Amino acid sequence: MSATNYSINGRIWIETPEGKVLGHGRVELLERIHVTGSLRQAALQMKMSYKQAWDLVKHTNEGFTEPLVQLSRGGTGGGKAILTEKGHQVIAEFKKIQKKFIDFMKEEENLIKI
Amino acid sequence: MSATNYSINGRIWIETPEGKVLGHGRVELLERIHVTGSLRQAALQMKMSYKQAWDLVKHTNEGFTEPLVQLSRGGTGGGKAILTEKGHQVIAEFKKIQKKFIDFMKEEENLIKI
DNA sequence: TATCGTTATGTTTTTAAAAGTATAACGGTA
DNA sequence: TACCGTTATACTTTTAAAAACATAACGATA
């Protein structure tokens, strides 16, 4: 049982001078793309429109030096979405930081005195 | 010169089971209330509508065990907004955590390798 | 080469958030 | 007690974000 009724919560993200390029939501989208191999399925799972997901991937790809997701259309299955090696790296890096961030918040929550 | 083009940014806030009770924006509003003694002036400075500021103060006051701002109407000047002792405490506590959070982000930014 | 399910992209509609408008209530002070 | 500028609150309008809709393009396979 904590000594306080308050909890600390927050969000972190990676950005460039042009703006946000990766955060909580995008990482989840990328992970679902990796699992399903499909942008449409990933979007469905997250209950977002295909268009929004596609825009997110576009902006994310443009935010890094190389694409994190490789989209292709036509062929067997109609098309596919594949996470690049860079995509895997970036996700891993973000999740590492995210884990530390959660620890940070937990710690501060225990110290809080109001 | 940093080793990477990416920077880390983020937000933290204090919440109860009922939701967010204090974050970056609200703290700024409270500080401006303290400086000006007026909710209307504080809202003007932050370019938000008086209504929005009033709602924020209302929800903030309800989120804690005691009000952080004491509003009163009528009298000299038409009315006033005063930060309570609790208000001062809470602001100080939040800013302390916020400072550590900024340090955390700086550190992670230096470690980032993508 | 016809089919299929997906990616690609512009356009329209819906929804939600914010801003704006209006007006009452208040209590020192002149 | 009339005035003033602010707080208090409901209601309307505007704006921005999200969703929905529509349709073309694509390429492996049968």
Side-chain angles (χ1 to χ4, degrees):
Chain A
M1 188 167 99
S2 151
T4 168
N5 302 303
Y6 308 109
S7 57
I8 306 251
N9 205 345
R11 290 282 182 276
I12 50 169
W13 57 86
I14 297 175
E15 59 182 38
T16 68
E18 281 72 40
K20 188 187 291 193
V21 294
L22 198 78
H24 181 266
R26 292 192 196 194
V27 166
E28 184 179 345
L29 183 64
L30 295 185
E31 289 184 313
R32 290 183 189 274
I33 285 172
H34 174 57
V35 171
T36 63
S38 158
L39 180 52
R40 166 152 266 118
Q41 288 309 312
L44 270 174
Q45 288 183 1
M46 292 184 68
K47 292 180 212 296
M48 65 170 67
S49 70
Y50 171 83
K51 187 185 185 355
Q52 189 183 4
W54 184 83
D55 282 339
L56 276 175
V57 167
K58 183 166 185 288
H59 291 140
T60 304
N61 277 343
E62 287 166 354
F64 290 88
T65 51
E66 345 161 19
L68 307 194
V69 178
Q70 193 184 49
L71 298 172
S72 55
R73 60 184 174 179
T76 312
K80 55 190 169 179
I82 296 172
L83 211 57
T84 65
E85 186 48 40
K86 180 84 171 180
H88 282 289
Q89 280 174 25
V90 167
I91 287 185
E93 188 71 15
F94 183 85
K95 293 184 83 170
K96 216 173 64 187
I97 299 173
Q98 174 74 17
K99 198 166 284 178
K100 288 197 223 173
F101 177 49
I102 288 172
D103 288 344
F104 169 82
M105 288 190 293
K106 277 210 192 85
E107 211 171 297
E108 291 305 316
E109 190 173 303
N110 289 331
L111 295 178
I112 204 171
K113 52 174 192 301
I114 49 175
Chain B
M1 187 168 100
S2 151
T4 169
N5 302 302
Y6 308 109
S7 57
I8 307 250
N9 205 345
R11 291 281 182 276
I12 49 169
W13 57 85
I14 298 175
E15 59 183 39
T16 68
E18 280 73 40
K20 189 187 289 193
V21 294
L22 198 78
H24 181 264
R26 293 192 194 193
V27 165
E28 184 179 346
L29 183 63
L30 295 185
E31 289 184 312
R32 289 183 190 275
I33 284 172
H34 174 56
V35 170
T36 62
S38 158
L39 180 52
R40 166 152 265 119
Q41 288 310 311
L44 269 175
Q45 288 183 2
M46 292 185 67
K47 292 180 211 299
M48 65 170 67
S49 69
Y50 171 82
K51 185 187 185 354
Q52 190 183 3
W54 184 83
D55 281 339
L56 276 175
V57 167
K58 182 165 185 287
H59 291 141
T60 304
N61 277 343
E62 287 166 354
F64 290 88
T65 50
E66 343 161 20
L68 307 194
V69 178
Q70 193 183 49
L71 299 172
S72 55
R73 58 183 175 181
T76 312
K80 57 189 169 181
I82 295 172
L83 211 58
T84 65
E85 185 49 39
K86 180 84 172 180
H88 282 290
Q89 280 173 28
V90 167
I91 286 184
E93 188 70 15
F94 183 85
K95 293 185 81 168
K96 216 172 64 185
I97 299 173
Q98 174 73 16
K99 196 166 287 179
K100 288 198 225 174
F101 177 49
I102 288 172
D103 288 343
F104 169 82
M105 288 190 294
K106 276 210 193 84
E107 211 170 297
E108 291 305 317
E109 190 173 304
N110 288 332
L111 295 178
I112 204 171
K113 49 174 192 303
I114 48 175

